Amino acid sequence: MKKRVTLVAPFYNESGNVLEFFQRVRQIADTMPQYEFEVVAVNDGSRDATWSELLQAQALHSGVHLVDLSRNFGKEAALTAGLDRATGDAVVPIDSDLQHPPELLPDMLAHWEKGAEVVLARRVDRQGDGLLQKLSAVSFYHFHNKISQVKVPLNVGDFRLMDRRVVDALRQLPENHRFMKGLFAWVGFRTVTIPYQPNERVAGVSSFNLWKLWNLALEGITSFSTVPLKIWSYVGLVVSLLALVYASVIVVKTLVFGIDTPGYASLMASVMFIGGVQLIGIGVLGEYVGRIYHEVKRRPVYLVREEHTTGSAAGVAEDRVERA
């Protein structure tokens, strides 16, 4: 039997990219007849014509599994929905805007056949990103890897090939707040890295902005490190020592020079400084408590509104979703 390769592609307002995406994937699949290709396309609550174009693509191409989520749950949830339904011996998360080139699949599969269980695709440059986005990305990776035991590879996104056993391991992780880059790194397995040059988007604009990237960074930091909580213990100790030193200076000055009229400005500066430190510490604590609050409710990561499965993968997909 042929080995099956599943591509997991989240779609969010990607009208204009859909048919081109499936055409490019089909062209690559036709050059590798030794594999059976399947595409799990997850519509993450798109508000444009993405879903209708996905239905059209399914009518034109075989081995297409469509999942329509009930609303926009975010890329991490859409990716999870796709991985839950992936039936392949090898699974490749890939962006639907074609910035992840499908032409890299033969190289990925060649490394997989040689024994690699994870094949990472590392961006060789970030020419398409603005200066602020480049700096923020590099800063996040360095900061995250400094404070976390789980190291996220620099310039490596979701684009990668994973062996079946890696996907099965990922599906055992129960958390609702899912920082997929961190989860990919956490499970480990034998890994190789290959470089690639990202393509330009075929149509549309990216839905990511600085606010979403900031929230994703917070998710990554709080999901894999408690260092921010520990830091505030040391900050509190330092502030307390400074306050003790300042109080000692005031006592000595009073004993030596007598009672001095207190200064309103210095008093207000001290109160505001200590109050600000306390509020920041409470805010950091609140980020962790908020994530605990969401986790203990045990809501599902996503909800499916509609699903269409065609081809021989249907029975396997239904069986794996039921066992999940």
Side-chain angles (χ1 to χ4, degrees):
M1 294 180 64
K2 294 181 179 180
K3 293 181 180 179
R4 175 174 292 158
V5 179
T6 300
L7 274 62
V8 175
F11 287 78
Y12 177 65
N13 292 341
E14 293 293 348
S15 178
N17 287 328
V18 176
L19 296 180
E20 177 67 19
F21 170 81
F22 281 94
Q23 182 62 34
R24 289 269 294 278
V25 170
R26 177 51 53 196
Q27 290 173 355
I28 298 302
D30 289 342
T31 65
M32 293 182 289
Q34 68 272 32
Y35 297 106
E36 178 185 356
F37 280 85
E38 169 196 36
V39 178
V40 179
V42 182
N43 180 40
D44 188 22
S46 298
R47 296 188 297 271
D48 59 6
T50 296
W51 180 243
S52 62
E53 291 184 13
L54 285 171
L55 292 172
Q56 182 182 353
Q58 188 181 49
L60 295 173
H61 302 279
S62 61
V64 178
H65 186 152
L66 300 184
V67 182
D68 186 27
L69 301 187
S70 62
R71 63 171 176 84
N72 177 238
F73 285 89
K75 185 178 180 181
E76 313 296 287
L79 194 56
T80 300
L83 293 176
D84 285 344
R85 287 156 177 80
T87 64
D89 302 293
V91 179
V92 182
I94 185 171
D95 281 358
S96 55
D97 57 13
L98 291 172
Q99 288 187 305
H100 294 164
E103 291 75 15
L104 203 63
L105 289 173
D107 199 9
M108 287 179 159
L109 289 167
H111 284 284
W112 175 57
E113 293 286 5
K114 293 176 183 177
E117 294 166 313
V118 179
V119 182
L120 304 179
R122 186 193 300 275
R123 296 177 61 168
V124 295
D125 63 59
R126 307 185 71 95
Q127 291 180 356
D129 297 341
L131 179 60
L132 183 59
Q133 192 172 356
K134 290 179 183 178
L135 292 175
S136 60
V138 173
S139 300
F140 165 73
Y141 283 114
H142 284 301
F143 180 70
H144 181 280
N145 291 341
K146 284 288 186 183
I147 67 173
S148 175
Q149 292 183 347
V150 177
K151 309 302 180 186
V152 177
L154 181 65
N155 289 329
V156 173
D158 299 325
F159 190 30
R160 64 191 65 211
L161 180 146
M162 296 178 289
D163 186 81
R164 178 76 251 166
R165 69 186 68 185
V166 181
V167 177
D168 290 341
L170 282 167
R171 295 184 61 200
Q172 296 178 39
L173 305 182
E175 55 255 56
N176 288 50
H177 279 260
R178 304 179 69 80
F179 178 62
M180 296 306 295
K181 295 181 183 65
L183 297 180
F184 289 148
W186 186 87
V187 296
F189 292 91
R190 292 195 299 269
T191 302
V192 299
T193 304
I194 59 176
Y196 83 100
Q197 176 66 49
N199 295 331
E200 295 292 331
R201 290 180 62 92
V202 174
V205 296
S206 174
S207 60
F208 269 95
N209 52 41
L210 287 177
W211 178 246
K212 289 184 178 180
L213 292 173
W214 167 252
N215 285 325
L216 184 63
L218 281 180
E219 193 71 55
I221 292 169
T222 54
S223 294
F224 288 92
S225 176
T226 58
V227 169
L229 291 174
K230 296 177 181 178
I231 286 176
W232 288 103
S233 299
Y234 297 105
V235 171
L237 177 62
V238 170
V239 171
S240 298
L241 290 175
L242 291 175
L244 180 61
V245 171
Y246 184 60
S248 301
V249 170
I250 292 176
V251 170
V252 171
K253 286 180 63 178
T254 302
L255 293 175
V256 175
F257 301 105
I259 300 175
D260 190 16
T261 302
Y264 177 78
S266 61
L267 177 64
M268 287 301 297
S270 301
V271 171
M272 292 177 68
F273 171 73
I274 296 174
V277 170
Q278 290 175 332
L279 288 175
I280 293 172
I282 293 172
V284 172
L285 182 62
E287 289 289 337
Y288 284 88
V289 172
R291 276 152 180 77
I292 296 172
Y293 170 69
H294 286 293
E295 288 293 335
V296 298
K297 288 189 291 187
R298 304 309 302 158
R299 290 175 180 170
V301 179
Y302 59 86
L303 294 174
V304 176
R305 187 184 72 85
E306 190 175 346
E307 191 164 357
H308 299 275
T309 306
T310 59
S312 60
V316 182
E318 291 175 1
D319 178 63
R320 282 184 173 156
V321 171
E322 287 177 2
R323 286 189 283 111

